[in-house]
Amino acid sequence: MRLVIARCSVDYAGRLTAHLPSAPRLILVKADGSVSIHADDRAYKPLNWMSPPCALKEGTGDEEGVWTVVNKAGEKLIITMEEILHDSSHELGVDPGLIKDGVEAHLQELLADRIETLGEGYTLIRREYMTAIGPVDILCRDAEGRTVAVEIKRRGEIDGVEQLTRYLELLNRDPHLAPVRGVFAAQEIKPQARVLATDRGIGCQVLDYDALRGIEDDKLRLF
């Protein structure tokens, strides 16, 4: 990974145009080829980025200090460096991946065994389906044979929806899987996460841990 802190301006040209005026920013160039530009006040979310596959070209001569990132669609991210404050590269190696807590891992196992919880006719493809940015909790097919990616959380919040969105972006590039839709599954889904998921066309599924385990609720029921 290459870390560059620089005073720069950024222009994006593609399906739309966007401009970031001159300011100090952090630029991350990852081993997968992705380039992202970060401010100091946005948590993990970048101001702008280019996902792989893409190519970075650093200008020379009259264009020295101009970085141009181009993806397969011809969209461009142009970074104009005014002053480089820090530039370093670090070999991080292969990441072992996220180790989920016991409840999340058990929810994944239970849902995979009872995949029909998501709907009649659902079939499991596999658990922990690996992508370039990490494993999708469950990959399955619905009754019509369409691919569905499921992200499982104990508590469903906005960051989980963002994570599933990134997985869907990658999975939909695979012609053997596309089109792929997403399901965000959790024991509890926060209202803001549900709104964001709905806006992105992602379904939401509240999981009953005891029901998945086959434990009956001892409370009186009308039905």
Side-chain angles (χ1 to χ4, degrees):
M1 179 183 291
R2 184 178 178 186
L3 309 175
V4 178
I5 299 175
R7 178 173 291 279
C8 63
S9 60
V10 183
D11 292 278
Y12 173 84
R15 288 167 291 181
L16 50 80
T17 59
H19 174 71
L20 292 172
S22 176
R25 298 189 174 93
L26 168 65
I27 303 165
L28 298 182
V29 183
K30 295 186 178 181
D32 63 3
S34 64
V35 179
S36 56
I37 296 97
H38 298 259
D40 205 15
D41 64 345
R42 301 293 179 102
Y44 65 88
K45 189 171 182 179
L47 297 166
N48 214 326
W49 68 93
M50 190 70 80
S51 301
C54 57
L56 167 63
K57 178 182 178 182
E58 298 184 41
T60 58
D62 293 340
E63 294 189 349
E64 186 175 1
V66 178
W67 290 14
T68 303
V69 188
V70 183
N71 65 12
K72 287 174 60 177
E75 298 168 318
K76 294 183 179 180
L77 191 65
I78 302 169
I79 308 169
T80 303
M81 306 289 189
E82 298 171 17
E83 179 185 9
I84 294 180
L85 307 172
H86 174 86
D87 188 348
S88 63
S89 296
H90 308 270
E91 180 59 53
L92 302 185
V94 178
D95 191 89
L98 179 68
I99 299 175
K100 299 177 182 290
D101 67 41
V103 174
E104 276 189 22
H106 200 200
L107 278 171
Q108 181 194 119
E109 180 181 352
L110 290 169
L111 185 58
D113 286 342
R114 296 164 177 81
I115 199 66
E116 68 279 359
T117 301
L118 297 176
E120 187 177 352
Y122 273 67
T123 56
L124 179 69
I125 296 176
R126 67 167 297 168
R127 292 170 51 196
E128 299 286 337
Y129 186 89
M130 187 56 64
T131 74
I133 59 174
V136 177
D137 287 333
I138 289 178
L139 199 68
C140 57
R141 296 194 189 278
D142 64 16
E144 285 72 43
R146 296 169 297 191
T147 311
V148 181
V150 185
E151 179 63 26
I152 299 172
K153 299 292 184 187
R154 181 172 58 181
R155 181 180 292 107
E157 300 185 4
I158 283 177
D159 58 350
V161 179
E162 295 283 7
Q163 182 179 358
L164 179 54
T165 300
R166 293 192 293 272
Y167 288 144
L168 290 171
E169 182 182 348
L170 283 177
L171 292 170
N172 273 299
R173 295 177 187 172
D174 187 338
H176 299 292
L177 297 176
V180 185
R181 65 181 182 89
V183 171
F184 188 50
Q187 288 179 279
E188 174 193 1
I189 299 178
K190 296 294 185 180
Q192 299 92 332
R194 185 180 291 275
V195 169
L196 181 60
T198 301
D199 182 68
R200 295 182 176 179
I202 294 171
C204 292
Q205 178 81 34
V206 176
L207 300 176
D208 185 327
Y209 186 64
D210 287 340
L212 285 172
R213 293 170 63 200
I215 298 176
E216 290 292 336
D217 190 343
D218 60 2
K219 295 178 182 178
L220 292 175
R221 300 187 184 188
L222 293 176
F223 304 98

